[in-house]
Amino acid sequence: MVNSPNLPIGPHISYSSVFVWVNRRLRFAWSQIPSGPARLNYISCFALVSIRTFFFFPVPYRVGGFLFSSIKSSSPGAPLDLDLFCSFFAPSLAMEKVRGEFLASLLLAFLLLLPSCRAFYLPGVTPRDFHKGADLQVKVNKLSSTKTQLPYDYYFLDYCKPSNIINSAENLGEVLRGDRIENSVYTVSISFLSVWVNKFKMRVDEGCKVVCRVNFNSEIAKNFKEKIDDDYSVNMILDNLPLAVPRQRRDGSQIHSYENGFRVGYKGRDNKYYLSNHLSFRVMYHKDAESDGARIVGFEATPSSVKHDYTDWDDKNPKVSSCTSDSKISPGSNVPQEVAEDAHVVFSYDVTFQSSDIKWASRWDTYLLMNDDQIHWFSIINSLMIVLFLSGMVAMIMLRTLYRDIANYNQLESQDEAQEETGWKLVHGDVFRPPLNSGLLCVYVGTGVQFFGMTLVTMIFALLGFLSPSNRGGLMTAMVLLWVFMGIFAGYASARLYKMFKGSEWKRITLKTASMFPGIVFAIFFVLNGLIWGEKSSGAVPFGTMFALVFLWFGISVPLVFVGSYIGYKRPALEDPVKTNKIPRQIPEQAWYMHPAFSILIGGILPFGAVFIELFFILTSIWLNQFYYIFGFLFLVFLILIITCAEITIVLCYFQLCSEDYHWWWRAYLTAGSSAVYLFAYSAFYFVTKLEITKFVSGILYFGYMLIASYAFFVLTGTMGFYACFWFVRKIYSSVKID
């Protein structure tokens, strides 16, 4: 056994002594890693840890939102918390986990380099150890439905309420998603002295227990019936885990499949409504072999409809013959509870704790596999390979054709040959002429740069695992904040392009850049939010949150856009490779296939083809309440989208210039941006074929939000195509000899 060297500490520490200590420390750490071919795995995992640590630690996520924990060991060989490490450094998702003995060995070697370290974790994703009998807090979330897409507060229906309802939403993203996380009767405050009676205790099974009784009137019964008709589900949370309900798979296999939340009730064959008033909870935990603590790795419930029998009701000590402490209720074993006026509904529950081999870092696998394995990996890979093949063919053709053109143009020696030249060189005196509405083009290009920066950074953090589904609302919060801070790049890009067009009113362009896209989106969002308010849904953004969004827009984003615009406008203007003639050249009559509308619509097909399969899973996660987690594939699709937008725009721009049409500025933007038209059309197809939305307001909400998404996609893809074409045109005209 190699002993770990101690750091020489004293009033005089030389660099040589520290170097010797580090060298010994590294040698000691290396000695702890088993030899053999597996060392390559250790080195790869160490690189992953180093990259993720570098990207994570400098980021200030939210003031006061960190949970700091000190990991101090008296000796380098002290036991280490592997679940904690894996859940933080590994992406904690089904496809991206790093588990096993090699991680344990690597972690030991990594932490042996420091006698102590301090770390922090994202809010809500820190593992918690619970000892036997410890209090557990079950929280309730919104009522959700895939039919209406209108979430409601849990207490919108007359469920059992605690004496003091406390909202515990953690971030902006949760509010924008319509989440309303509150305490429940399973953790009830019974006095002003903050004495808590927890009906959930860790690893303590409970038989059937009565929660409360609710006397239904006509209005309460009507609300429950409406929610049953609309297939609403009740969502709960325990230790940041959503409630999962086992269900039968479509293929009839015995493998477990789950859905989010339990149904409010069901409608029987007799056209009567029955309420799910009993919950059989099952909490899975993973116990630490070296201590009494355990971690929750699963939270399931089986709903039942039970008409409880009792003689005399006592609120302080209810006694129900069908619900005793030594019994548990099985689904379908009792007479169901009908939803009717003047009904006295008794709510009850029972709890079972079950030991599990699932590690804490893998506990989200259940929720990530809720879609009956409908993720067709081979279809995704096949689609991406087709797009790559087409892009490679286009690039090869373009390179060969352009090389021949440039070589031929540069070999023209006589003036007569130069006058007889045709093709794209013929319009060199007009190709850099500023387009109509050049200021508006600058605005949209700047907005696209802002959106591109937000998308890229968001995907990188999601790819590294920092925006996983366990960090509820984190993705939405990150997108909003990144959009705000990327305003400086929007101002810079629009000002640079505007100055190249020799514009002078840069302040007006800057103001449009800061207000046009967010203003249009905010107007649509405000109308949709009003419709949600009219339905009394919790999905409506509160006034305080709306004010916070407006503050982020005008208080941070707009000033940053002006800062970026000031910097960009002060820089020297881009010089055109060729001079522009004073008199515009007449454009000859174009063939039908070179008509702007036709070529623009054709150009959007290929970029949409690069994303439409992945778009299916994104829409499913948004509108069918499933978790999206394959950010690796999404990032790959995003890269393919960039390449595809660039190449299709360059090809069509080349054909346009060869036909002596030099109005390429707007067409380059619209060619790639037209893919948004196909995206919106596909969303309509998805609405008809996959969704069961029946309410008019819900349909308006769907198409309203998809209109916003399509508009954002138009700005993003249009900007990528524009810059690719801009680079291409400058490149080819700077490569030929022009007198």
Side-chain angles (χ1 to χ4, degrees):
M1 179 67 181
V2 180
N3 294 324
S4 171
N6 295 321
L7 176 64
I9 300 176
H12 303 287
I13 303 177
S14 63
Y15 288 106
S16 60
S17 62
V18 174
F19 176 79
V20 171
W21 174 82
V22 171
N23 183 38
R24 291 178 180 176
R25 198 82 174 184
L26 288 171
R27 292 178 61 186
F28 170 73
W30 185 255
S31 68
Q32 305 303 304
I33 303 177
S35 60
R39 275 192 175 177
L40 181 60
N41 291 334
Y42 307 149
I43 297 172
S44 301
C45 187
F46 182 80
L48 172 65
V49 171
S50 302
I51 293 172
R52 299 196 64 174
T53 305
F54 174 78
F55 277 106
F56 178 74
F57 277 93
V59 180
Y61 272 88
R62 196 174 75 236
V63 177
F66 302 135
L67 177 63
F68 288 89
S69 62
S70 297
I71 307 174
K72 296 181 179 293
S73 56
S74 57
S75 63
L80 298 171
D81 194 338
L82 301 182
D83 279 353
L84 194 65
F85 176 83
C86 187
S87 65
F88 173 64
F89 284 109
S92 72
L93 299 176
M95 292 175 46
E96 302 179 286
K97 294 187 297 292
V98 181
R99 306 191 196 100
E101 294 181 357
F102 78 94
L103 181 59
S105 302
L106 174 65
L107 172 63
L108 180 62
F110 181 69
L111 291 185
L112 284 175
L113 297 178
L114 295 173
S116 65
C117 65
R118 297 183 66 83
F120 58 87
Y121 300 89
L122 295 177
V125 297
T126 307
R128 296 179 59 189
D129 291 316
F130 297 95
H131 296 281
K132 187 173 183 179
D135 297 336
L136 300 180
Q137 298 182 15
V138 178
K139 299 179 181 179
V140 292
N141 201 348
K142 60 187 177 183
L143 307 173
S144 58
S145 169
T146 57
K147 276 190 174 182
T148 66
Q149 302 296 334
L150 292 170
Y152 284 88
D153 187 274
Y154 174 82
Y155 296 112
F156 179 83
L157 297 178
D158 283 65
Y159 285 111
C160 303
K161 298 185 176 83
S163 58
N164 184 24
I165 299 177
I166 302 173
N167 193 313
S168 58
E170 293 180 344
N171 54 50
L172 177 64
E174 288 183 346
V175 178
L176 294 178
R177 281 163 35 103
D179 288 342
R180 297 296 182 267
I181 303 174
E182 298 162 318
N183 59 321
S184 70
V185 292
Y186 304 107
T187 308
V188 185
S189 176
I190 62 173
S191 74
F192 65 94
L193 296 176
S194 298
V195 179
W196 296 83
V197 174
N198 285 269
K199 296 190 176 183
F200 264 47
K201 290 187 178 293
M202 185 64 175
R203 292 158 57 192
V204 177
D205 290 355
E206 296 282 358
C208 184
K209 278 194 171 185
V210 175
V211 181
C212 74
R213 186 184 70 165
V214 178
N215 299 324
F216 278 27
N217 55 31
S218 58
E219 184 179 356
I220 295 176
K222 178 185 176 182
N223 287 337
F224 272 100
K225 289 179 180 180
E226 289 179 351
K227 295 301 175 283
I228 293 174
D229 279 333
D230 292 333
D231 291 342
Y232 270 88
S233 297
V234 180
N235 297 281
M236 293 184 173
I237 299 172
L238 175 63
D239 191 34
N240 201 44
L241 272 183
L243 179 68
V245 177
R247 67 177 179 182
Q248 184 68 31
R249 289 175 66 98
R250 298 174 185 173
D251 55 8
S253 63
Q254 299 299 320
I255 302 175
H256 289 292
S257 181
Y258 300 88
E259 63 181 8
N260 280 321
F262 65 90
R263 298 294 176 92
V264 173
Y266 63 93
K267 190 175 183 179
R269 296 180 180 177
D270 54 0
N271 288 329
K272 293 182 179 180
Y273 296 86
Y274 298 98
L275 182 65
S276 299
N277 61 324
H278 178 85
L279 296 175
S280 296
F281 291 106
R282 186 160 68 103
V283 181
M284 281 77 74
Y285 63 91
H286 182 78
K287 190 177 182 305
D288 187 359
E290 299 181 359
S291 66
D292 188 48
R295 290 174 179 169
I296 296 174
V297 295
F299 182 39
E300 301 175 5
T302 302
S304 304
S305 182
V306 181
K307 186 176 182 180
H308 290 293
D309 298 325
Y310 60 91
T311 53
D312 296 325
W313 181 261
D314 184 2
D315 288 330
K316 296 182 179 180
N317 186 23
K319 293 182 179 180
V320 179
S321 59
S322 57
C323 180
T324 59
S325 59
D326 56 352
S327 65
K328 293 188 177 181
I329 295 177
S330 301
S333 60
N334 299 81
V335 178
Q337 174 64 58
E338 182 183 354
V339 179
E341 187 178 350
D342 298 328
H344 302 285
V345 180
V346 177
F347 290 89
S348 59
Y349 77 100
D350 60 67
V351 186
T352 302
F353 286 86
Q354 179 180 329
S355 179
S356 174
D357 294 331
I358 299 175
K359 298 293 183 66
W360 190 89
S362 307
R363 66 179 190 162
W364 274 86
D365 290 6
T366 298
Y367 306 91
L368 303 181
L369 300 176
M370 284 185 174
N371 52 359
D372 284 353
D373 301 328
Q374 291 182 359
I375 300 179
H376 307 296
W377 300 107
F378 289 105
S379 298
I380 296 176
I381 295 175
N382 181 61
S383 176
L384 294 180
M385 291 300 105
I386 291 175
V387 173
L388 280 175
F389 174 75
L390 292 176
S391 300
M393 292 293 293
V394 169
M396 183 178 66
I397 294 173
M398 287 300 303
L399 288 176
R400 295 187 61 182
T401 305
L402 273 176
Y403 179 78
R404 185 178 64 250
D405 287 350
I406 293 174
N408 291 336
Y409 286 144
N410 289 335
Q411 290 175 0
L412 296 176
E413 297 179 356
S414 65
Q415 185 67 22
D416 294 336
E417 289 178 328
Q419 291 177 354
E420 295 175 359
E421 64 187 15
T422 59
W424 54 268
K425 188 180 179 183
L426 195 61
V427 295
H428 65 83
D430 299 274
V431 71
F432 290 103
R433 188 180 304 279
L436 296 175
N437 299 317
S438 59
L440 184 62
L441 179 63
C442 297
V443 170
Y444 271 100
V445 169
T447 304
V449 170
Q450 184 178 9
F451 205 89
F452 178 82
M454 180 208 72
T455 306
L456 181 63
V457 177
T458 301
M459 283 193 181
I460 290 176
F461 278 103
L463 185 65
L464 296 176
F466 301 140
L467 301 177
S468 67
S470 59
N471 185 19
R472 188 173 33 255
L475 181 62
M476 183 73 71
T477 304
M479 291 177 65
V480 172
L481 295 180
L482 285 172
W483 167 265
V484 169
F485 290 111
M486 289 294 168
I488 189 170
F489 298 104
Y492 181 84
S494 63
R496 290 282 289 162
L497 187 61
Y498 186 68
K499 189 171 184 178
M500 191 190 73
F501 290 149
K502 298 178 174 58
S504 58
E505 299 179 352
W506 67 273
K507 295 180 181 179
R508 182 171 60 88
I509 297 300
T510 303
L511 186 60
K512 286 185 177 181
T513 304
S515 59
M516 179 167 289
F517 178 83
I520 295 175
V521 171
F522 189 82
I524 299 175
F525 178 76
F526 189 80
V527 173
L528 297 179
N529 197 62
L531 295 176
I532 300 175
W533 269 111
E535 295 293 324
K536 300 179 180 179
S537 169
S538 65
V541 177
F543 175 78
T545 305
M546 192 75 73
F547 177 79
L549 292 175
V550 173
F551 173 77
L552 289 175
W553 178 13
F554 288 100
I556 300 178
S557 180
V558 172
L560 286 177
V561 173
F562 270 91
V563 170
S565 183
Y566 178 80
I567 297 174
Y569 201 77
K570 287 298 181 182
R571 294 200 60 186
L574 292 174
E575 296 293 336
D576 298 332
V578 293
K579 294 182 180 180
T580 302
N581 297 332
K582 294 182 179 180
I583 301 176
R585 179 186 179 87
Q586 185 176 1
I587 299 175
E589 185 178 355
Q590 301 293 305
W592 65 270
Y593 53 84
M594 290 304 298
H595 191 274
F598 181 80
S599 62
I600 287 172
L601 290 177
I602 289 297
I605 295 177
L606 195 57
F608 173 75
V611 301
F612 87 96
I613 292 182
E614 200 67 23
L615 181 64
F616 169 80
F617 300 108
I618 295 175
L619 293 180
T620 300
S621 66
I622 294 174
W623 300 108
L624 295 181
N625 295 333
Q626 295 183 5
F627 294 101
Y628 187 86
Y629 63 97
I630 47 177
F631 293 106
F633 267 112
L634 183 61
F635 188 73
L636 177 61
V637 169
F638 181 66
L639 296 179
I640 297 297
L641 176 65
I642 296 175
I643 297 173
T644 308
C645 287
E647 291 187 343
I648 193 65
T649 307
I650 289 174
V651 168
L652 294 181
C653 180
Y654 173 74
F655 292 154
Q656 178 185 353
L657 294 177
C658 287
S659 61
E660 302 179 18
D661 184 358
Y662 52 84
H663 295 315
W664 63 272
W665 298 93
W666 273 108
R667 192 182 293 193
Y669 196 97
L670 296 175
T671 296
S674 65
S675 57
V677 176
Y678 298 98
L679 188 150
F680 189 77
Y682 180 79
S683 67
F685 172 79
Y686 185 87
F687 178 85
V688 174
T689 58
K690 297 297 181 181
L691 300 181
E692 299 178 358
I693 294 178
T694 55
K695 285 190 174 184
F696 176 76
V697 173
S698 302
I700 295 297
L701 291 177
Y702 174 83
F703 285 105
Y705 285 127
M706 291 310 302
L707 180 63
I708 293 176
S710 301
Y711 184 34
F713 193 72
F714 163 76
V715 173
L716 175 65
T717 54
T719 300
M720 292 189 296
F722 172 82
Y723 271 113
C725 193
F726 181 69
W727 170 84
F728 170 75
V729 172
R730 291 181 62 87
K731 190 71 175 178
I732 62 174
Y733 282 98
S734 61
S735 301
V736 295
K737 300 175 182 178
I738 297 177
D739 296 331

